[in-house]
Amino acid sequence: MPLISIDDVAEKPFDYIIIGGGTTGLTIATRLSENPEISVLVLEAGAANFNHPLISKSSQHGFQFGNPDLDWCFQTTPQKHGLDVQYYWNRGKTLGGSSSINFQLWVHPPKADVDNWERLGNPGWNWDMFEQYSSRVYNVDKTKLQVDGWKIWDATKSYGTGNVKVSLPNVIDSDIKFRESLVMMGVPKAPAPYHGNPNGAYINIGTYDPNDYSRVDAATAYLRPNLLRPNLVILTSALVHNLIFDSADGDLVATGVQFSSTTDKTPRRAYAHREVVLCAGAIKSPQVLELSGIGQAKVLKQIGVPLRLELPGVGENVQEHQVVGVANELKEECPDMTYDLLRDEKEYAAHGELLTQGKGLHTIGITNLTYAPLSTFSGMARAKELYSAQKKKIEEHKKKGVYPPGREEQYNLLLDLLDPEKGNPDVELVGFPGYISFPRLPIPGKRYYTLCAVLNHNFSRGTIHATSRDPYSNPEMDPHYFENDIETQSMVETVKWLRRLAQTMPIKENLDHEHNPGPEVQTDEQVEEWVKKGSITVFHTIGSCSMLPLNKNGVVDPNLKVYGTRNVRVADLSIVPLHIAAHTQSVAYVIAERAADIIRSSAKY
Ligand SMILES: Cc1cc2nc3c(=O)[nH]c(=O)nc-3n(C[C@H](O)[C@H](O)[C@H](O)COP(=O)(O)OP(=O)(O)OC[C@H]3O[C@@H](n4cnc5c(N)ncnc54)[C@H](O)[C@@H]3O)c2cc1C
């Protein structure tokens, strides 16, 4: 059914109500509505934004930020261990959610990281499951899968049967030289980046339609081809406040939701015969649960919401990735176009034209990824020193009994991953064809290539909680960045290494000088301070409604059902209990595909 108005929905019953029409929400809604007998309502707070040029034209990374029509513009609390810096946490507020504003990298996690979810008490949530469901999501373009002797996809494996087209965008000379310099610095090629072992350097693909380089997101891949299904009802500009419940034998039974149009804010209701599925993302899903009376007694008391179900894990166990970028200005004679040019109006228009010929900046992408152990960057001795210090700290805290239920098990797995002898990928490097570096800003008209360091497996744990019963006010986000020194020091060591890489041929040939941090940042202490001032989020928040056993502070069980409820599931990135060395959209789609299967099989259709 085409998009409809609020009066077509208010006070009406549906089989399923899906809260949030983002990456996971649209995927699940499309799958459930394959059965024409089943009615599905999606309530999305953002607008439809079909064919919005800031979404459909690829590679406009960050151009949507701060635009309230597309971005929630979240902001964290000042970070106590990070010089009180507040971080912007941009998220898609539109049909398609964050898949519509993301940076389009298509990345698969390492096998060990997904298998860890099963080890934490979630049978069936393992690497085999990831492979099975992801191949239902992606559809790899076979025409460009070999570049300069770098094999992108294992031809013996499935190319996928899904609707999310992924392909290799164009690359610039600095991308090629960066990769060659990595090899010069001893980084091996990743053995199986899309099939369980991304440890090393590789060329990655992205959510680009190979026919015209446009963005592929959940709206274009899942919803658009099925928009006219009469049983699929999508209401946009509709913010869900809370769930409505009855109770049966001590369990909560959701009968519907309370929501309002974002223009008039008058509370309305819609009813669910079967289930309510929460897909509002890792930042808003815990808030919706709390405003429904599900969460920590203390938090609900503070906001004046009566407690219906005590679940201490709601809004806890929050984990995030951080990135810091060393930005180098390109030499005048270097021929590369970089994203920096798009900040100039004339260039922006010119590249819009070039796109029609399959050329220009809207056809290039972020294609250089490397996953490697900390020891690659710090040397083995320093990696061992940092690992031992972290291990000691954790052992001491275990003895003092300070950890909440379930945390020790997570830290045991993280220590195992971090053990330098095992060589797992702790850090990711990204070659970014433009400026993505802070706090110093770029000089207009100049072109840059940024060498980025990303932390994959953080020990720090944060929180996301509602601080008001007003559904229109954002929850408080506190990721506890840099609470563990291992995170700060891993970044410091990697930044020092990246500076050496910039002096290595052949990338050195293209780089004029380092613009940020710049020559005044030299000692380890100065690098540390710069890292704390200059790091940003990678937009990968997880854990706020973790899938864990109930006695380990779980919020949902392995069937994604909220403990203590009969028919409420959470099926978005918030359920991931332990972070992965990967960008997260592939995981979000996998969670959604599996959730759809779980829901269909529990309803026996
Ligand atoms: C800027 C950015 C860059 C990224 N880059 C990459 C990348 O290059 N590669 C990669 O793999 N991953 C990337 N990611 C991460 C990836 O896109 C996300 O992890 C994934 O899309 C999250 O899916 P989700 O369904 O959990 O949440 P979302 O897709 O964010 O969906 C949540 C939806 O719920 C809606 N909503 C929220 N609250 C309510 C409410 N109360 N009522 C109604 N609707 C509500 C939101 O508007 C949104 O549409 C990036 C993310 C961002 C934000």
Side-chain angles (χ1 to χ4, degrees):
M1 183 179 289
L3 308 179
I4 39 114
S5 79
I6 195 160
D7 291 327
D8 300 318
V9 167
E11 303 302 322
K12 303 266 187 330
F14 300 85
D15 288 312
Y16 295 97
I17 296 180
I18 296 186
I19 302 173
T23 318
T24 50
L26 291 185
T27 304
I28 296 171
T30 306
R31 288 297 183 203
L32 295 183
S33 61
E34 281 169 357
N35 180 340
E37 306 295 315
I38 295 293
S39 60
V40 179
L41 168 65
V42 176
L43 294 168
E44 164 55 42
N49 292 316
F50 289 146
N51 303 321
H52 195 300
L54 284 177
I55 293 177
S56 57
K57 228 190 287 169
S58 290
S59 304
Q60 299 181 85
H61 307 314
F63 275 53
Q64 309 84 0
F65 293 0
N67 177 342
D69 295 336
L70 298 171
D71 175 13
W72 283 92
C73 312
F74 296 122
Q75 206 175 4
T76 69
T77 56
Q79 290 304 286
K80 195 166 106 187
H81 305 280
L83 306 176
D84 281 334
V85 174
Q86 281 183 274
Y87 287 67
Y88 288 103
W89 274 12
N90 313 86
R91 289 294 183 284
K93 186 181 190 184
T94 173
L95 275 186
S98 297
S99 71
S100 305
I101 71 162
N102 71 19
F103 288 14
Q104 299 179 254
L105 287 89
W106 187 259
V107 183
H108 287 183
K111 177 180 184 304
D113 290 14
V114 187
D115 285 343
N116 276 344
W117 302 349
E118 186 166 55
R119 290 191 189 101
L120 288 171
N122 300 299
W125 287 86
N126 54 31
W127 175 253
D128 291 344
M129 179 282 304
F130 182 89
E131 286 227 295
Q132 180 196 338
Y133 281 98
S134 62
S135 66
R136 242 186 237 187
V137 175
Y138 58 71
N139 200 322
V140 178
D141 171 42
K142 299 189 192 73
T143 58
K144 268 198 283 177
L145 289 178
Q146 278 274 6
V147 180
D148 307 332
W150 291 69
K151 209 168 53 172
I152 294 175
W153 197 263
D154 181 345
T156 65
K157 305 271 185 181
S158 160
Y159 291 95
T161 55
N163 286 344
V164 178
K165 294 179 196 166
V166 284
S167 63
L168 182 70
N170 289 327
V171 297
I172 59 173
D173 184 60
S174 297
D175 286 326
I176 298 165
K177 292 200 162 114
F178 174 60
R179 213 162 30 239
E180 286 170 1
S181 295
L182 285 167
V183 175
M184 294 298 290
M185 293 278 283
V187 175
K189 286 185 181 176
Y194 285 100
H195 299 97
N197 188 354
N199 214 344
Y202 70 97
I203 301 181
N204 77 286
I205 44 188
T207 45
Y208 296 79
D209 186 324
N211 299 314
D212 59 4
Y213 294 95
S214 61
R215 174 193 292 275
V216 179
D217 58 11
T220 51
Y222 280 89
L223 179 62
R224 291 291 289 274
N226 301 299
L227 194 58
L228 296 181
R229 282 182 189 163
N231 59 329
L232 175 57
V233 175
I234 313 277
L235 184 67
T236 54
S237 304
L239 182 100
V240 172
H241 303 187
N242 56 271
L243 283 70
I244 314 162
F245 291 108
D246 267 350
S247 50
D249 301 331
D251 276 349
L252 291 179
V253 180
T255 53
V257 302
Q258 178 146 265
F259 69 99
S260 59
S261 146
T262 53
T263 44
D264 79 1
K265 301 190 180 172
T266 309
R268 313 290 287 265
R269 287 180 169 209
Y271 298 101
H273 285 317
R274 290 172 184 255
E275 295 197 8
V276 175
V277 188
L278 192 43
C279 300
I283 297 169
K284 297 291 277 186
S285 282
Q287 181 192 25
V288 173
L289 286 180
E290 289 176 344
L291 297 194
S292 309
I294 299 176
Q296 288 180 13
K298 192 176 82 187
V299 170
L300 299 200
K301 190 166 176 224
Q302 270 163 5
I303 60 174
V305 171
L307 182 70
R308 281 183 168 277
L309 179 63
E310 179 146 29
L311 272 188
V314 173
E316 300 288 311
N317 200 32
V318 170
Q319 298 155 59
E320 180 55 307
H321 287 159
Q322 283 164 274
V323 56
V324 70
V326 177
N328 291 274
E329 191 179 314
L330 292 185
K331 285 185 178 155
E332 280 294 318
E333 61 272 26
C334 170
D336 284 340
M337 300 172 298
T338 64
Y339 291 141
D340 307 294
L341 301 175
L342 291 178
R343 284 192 288 271
D344 177 272
E345 258 179 54
K346 276 195 193 146
E347 290 278 1
Y348 186 84
H351 283 278
E353 274 301 307
L354 281 172
L355 175 60
T356 60
Q357 304 157 33
K359 295 182 189 157
L361 284 167
H362 299 295
T363 73
I364 72 165
I366 305 163
T367 56
N368 269 327
L369 293 192
T370 297
Y371 287 89
L374 174 59
S375 57
T376 301
F377 310 109
S378 66
M380 189 50 106
R382 177 76 171 135
K384 283 186 173 171
E385 188 180 87
L386 290 170
Y387 167 73
S388 300
Q390 183 65 13
K391 195 170 173 191
K392 187 165 167 236
K393 176 178 164 180
I394 287 176
E395 292 305 334
E396 282 168 7
H397 284 182
K398 277 187 195 170
K399 274 192 209 129
K400 287 187 199 151
V402 294
Y403 290 134
R407 185 68 57 78
E408 285 190 18
E409 290 83 344
Q410 291 185 34
Y411 283 170
N412 290 343
L413 293 175
L414 282 183
L415 282 174
D416 200 45
L417 285 175
L418 185 69
D419 184 344
E421 298 293 352
K422 304 215 168 139
N424 288 305
D426 309 306
V427 179
E428 176 193 351
L429 306 181
V430 184
F432 187 85
Y435 197 89
I436 187 159
S437 191
F438 297 90
R440 180 172 288 153
L441 297 177
I443 298 171
K446 299 289 183 191
R447 295 162 303 139
Y448 299 90
Y449 197 79
T450 309
L451 314 176
C452 304
V454 182
L455 295 183
N456 290 322
H457 294 126
N458 285 355
F459 285 83
S460 297
R461 291 291 180 276
T463 54
I464 297 175
H465 289 297
T467 54
S468 147
R469 57 188 304 170
D470 174 6
Y472 281 87
S473 81
N474 289 331
E476 185 179 87
M477 293 147 259
D478 182 359
H480 291 219
Y481 285 142
F482 300 115
E483 194 168 49
N484 285 277
D485 195 45
I486 180 102
E487 284 138 28
T488 319
Q489 298 313 323
S490 298
M491 278 205 160
V492 168
E493 295 297 341
T494 311
V495 164
K496 291 193 301 188
W497 188 91
L498 284 172
R499 290 176 121 178
R500 293 202 295 278
L501 180 108
Q503 296 305 316
T504 305
M505 288 297 280
I507 186 67
K508 177 176 160 49
E509 210 167 78
N510 282 11
L511 307 180
D512 190 78
H513 66 275
E514 184 186 282
H515 181 69
N516 192 34
E520 64 275 24
V521 175
Q522 287 304 335
T523 64
D524 282 8
E525 292 71 28
Q526 288 166 334
V527 176
E528 180 173 328
E529 190 187 352
W530 174 78
V531 158
K532 289 190 171 175
K533 285 182 181 159
S535 82
I536 58 169
T537 175
V538 199
F539 319 100
H540 292 168
T541 312
I542 62 149
S544 52
C545 301
S546 280
M547 176 176 62
L548 286 170
L550 182 58
N551 64 358
K552 305 289 179 196
N553 263 358
V555 175
V556 298
D557 68 16
N559 285 323
L560 305 178
K561 199 173 278 179
V562 176
Y563 288 110
T565 73
R566 284 274 171 90
N567 62 344
V568 180
R569 294 185 213 259
V570 184
D572 57 25
L573 213 62
S574 67
I575 64 114
V576 175
L578 192 62
H579 228 320
I580 47 167
H583 297 245
T584 46
Q585 67 172 332
S586 63
V587 172
Y589 283 113
V590 163
I591 291 168
E593 285 282 0
R594 183 160 163 84
D597 262 9
I598 291 171
I599 294 168
R600 286 189 290 209
S601 73
S602 86
K604 300 195 176 44
Y605 76 89

